Amino acid sequence: MIKASDFGKDFLWGVATAAAQIEGAALGYGKGLSIWDTFAKRSGKTKKGHQPTIACDFYHRYKEDIALVKLLGFGIFRFSISWPRIIPRGKGAINKEGIRFYHQVIDECLLQGIIPYVTLYHWDLPEMLEDEGGWTAFSINDSFNFFVSICAREYGDKVKNWIVLNEPFGFTSLGYMLGVHAPGKTGLTNFFSAVHHAAIAQADGGRILRSEVKNANIGTSFSCSEIIPYTQSASDVQAAKRVDCLMNRLFIEPLLGMGYPTADWDVMEKFSIQHSTWRHTERLTFDFDFIGLQNYFPLTIKYNAFIPVVQAWEVKAKSRKKPHTAMGWEINANSFYNIIKQFAAYPNIPPLMITENGAAYHDKVLNHQIHDQERIAYFEQYLAALLKVKQEGVPITGYMAWTLMDNFEWGEGFNARFGLIHTDFKTQQRTVKDSGLWFKDFLGH
């Protein structure tokens, strides 16, 4: 059995969360509406119409929840700052109560000996900015930079570890192309505008933190998936390349000064040419201290002429008779190994950190216990793959499990449970699952 000590004494272990998913207090304490507050109210947008209004009520229970992070033996607590809680309209007036709240959370972490890792943007855009076009609007970058500056100045003395954006491909594709996440926009024009502004934001955010925060350790985080062609036919292989271009290469390559990827694909070539002036190229680059990778599943891709633009289709794990989680996501630790190696192969890539990884299962509460053996098996396999990568010399500095406790899981509402701790959303009772106890043991606590 592997143990945390196998990774070395400097390796960092943590849990990750996000404001919109755990905080609650969505309509009070001076906070403005976020796009998720309004999107979840729309009929049919979340499972069972669930809304993040109360979520896990972390806003009122942060002390006990941070105590649980410590109890399980983790050294890092990753959380995000809600932009509309700090600047209710997205720009202009600042909400002092919001500022105070995050000071309290940070102070509590430090009091408990936990290192805070702060994500600046984890998908909860102020609704007032969305009314002006959100991430598709050129003006978003000025608003975002103002928000980053406020956070850096307020918390930079106490917080040294920062993550600028959470999964830019996730929020631009799901929110602005497919429309299944907030704000529910669709189409390639919206998508590509949002991509470009988010790519600028990640680099701008890095520069602001560098200038405002002494001794800062600055990163940004990317969702990533190994893309596997269904067959070795030329059409499947090309389809897989197009998907890889979008899911894995779209944000990291401009950041590293390589420009937008094209993958022999006219759609991306046009987009790349539009944004290839030196001003753009230079503004898109920033020398981060670390890159966060967030992996949950590989994708097996088949050519499909009927899918617009990308002409690719996922062949689901279930139909291929592969093991999968309650979300239908393929469980494949070898693929986790492969995608880390893919990112590590870039020249000049900074050290990597796994900033999210985990699994949802249909957890059952029996006599106040949750025997989530499948989740434990998942972590065992994935951490063994991570250890192998590390032993092969890839600079990996840490691992964060998604997530501390069951929460508002975006479009899945409260149905998808990823937590190491079970949340009863009626009573807000927390119950540590066997996987949480497994981590406590794994971490030697």
Side-chain angles (χ1 to χ4, degrees), residues 318-330:
K318 201 173 177 181
S319 68
R320 290 180 289 111
K321 310 234 179 330
K322 297 288 184 196
H324 54 273
T325 67
M327 301 273 284
W329 296 351
E330 183 178 342

Side-chain angles (χ1 to χ4, degrees), residues 168-388:
F169 178 72
F171 72 78
T172 54
S173 65
L174 298 169
Y176 289 90
M177 178 168 65
L178 302 172
V180 293
H181 275 189
K185 285 185 172 164
T186 55
L188 275 187
T189 309
N190 284 327
F191 171 63
F192 279 127
S193 297
V195 164
H196 189 54
H197 298 136
I200 289 170
Q202 66 184 6
D204 277 359
R207 280 186 284 274
I208 292 164
L209 289 166
R210 184 72 77 225
S211 68
E212 295 284 349
V213 182
K214 273 201 193 87
N215 308 317
N217 178 39
I218 309 165
T220 198
S221 75
F222 300 122
S223 49
C224 59
S225 283
E226 186 190 14
I227 309 297
I228 304 159
Y230 184 56
T231 70
Q232 284 307 305
S233 71
S235 55
D236 281 2
V237 168
Q238 277 306 118
K241 275 188 179 166
R242 290 192 291 275
V243 175
D244 182 57
C245 181
L246 289 173
M247 290 191 75
N248 297 318
R249 299 173 52 197
L250 189 54
F251 286 92
I252 185 75
E253 292 188 8
L255 188 67
L256 296 174
M258 300 163 69
Y260 287 111
T262 58
D264 313 313
W265 184 13
D266 56 346
V267 177
M268 283 303 298
E269 276 165 17
K270 272 188 219 142
F271 174 61
S272 174
I273 288 162
Q274 272 177 325
H275 300 294
S276 61
T277 62
W278 67 267
R279 275 181 312 124
H280 280 120
T281 314
E282 205 159 272
R283 192 173 173 189
L284 293 169
T285 61
F286 178 71
D287 195 5
F288 276 103
D289 299 305
F290 70 96
I291 295 293
L293 295 183
Q294 313 199 157
N295 173 265
Y296 291 93
F297 51 82
L299 288 178
T300 294
I301 294 295
K302 187 182 174 89
Y303 171 72
N304 185 329
F306 297 105
I307 305 288
V309 191
V310 71
Q311 296 194 313
W313 184 252
E314 180 198 349
V315 188
K316 299 264 196 240
K318 201 173 177 181
S319 68
R320 290 180 289 111
K321 310 234 179 330
K322 297 288 184 196
H324 54 273
T325 67
M327 301 273 284
W329 296 351
E330 183 178 342
I331 301 161
N332 187 333
N334 191 48
S335 158
F336 181 50
Y337 167 91
N338 290 339
I339 193 67
I340 297 169
K341 293 288 267 204
Q342 181 178 323
F343 272 77
Y346 282 112
N348 310 326
I349 187 96
L352 302 172
M353 185 173 206
I354 305 304
T355 41
E356 281 184 29
N357 171 242
Y361 290 102
H362 299 299
D363 299 329
K364 303 244 186 321
V365 184
L366 296 165
N367 303 325
H368 309 293
Q369 294 178 316
I370 299 97
H371 303 305
D372 56 338
Q373 213 41 53
E374 291 172 299
R375 189 175 285 107
I376 293 170
Y378 177 97
F379 283 123
E380 284 176 339
Q381 293 169 42
Y382 275 69
L383 290 173
L386 185 65
L387 183 59
K388 186 179 169 198

Side-chain angles (χ1 to χ4, degrees), residues 50-69:
H50 290 163
Q51 296 180 27
T53 319
I54 300 170
C56 304
D57 197 31
F58 176 81
Y59 193 89
H60 298 108
R61 298 164 190 267
Y62 67 90
K63 286 190 177 176
E64 64 192 75
D65 288 337
I66 293 165
L68 286 168
V69 176

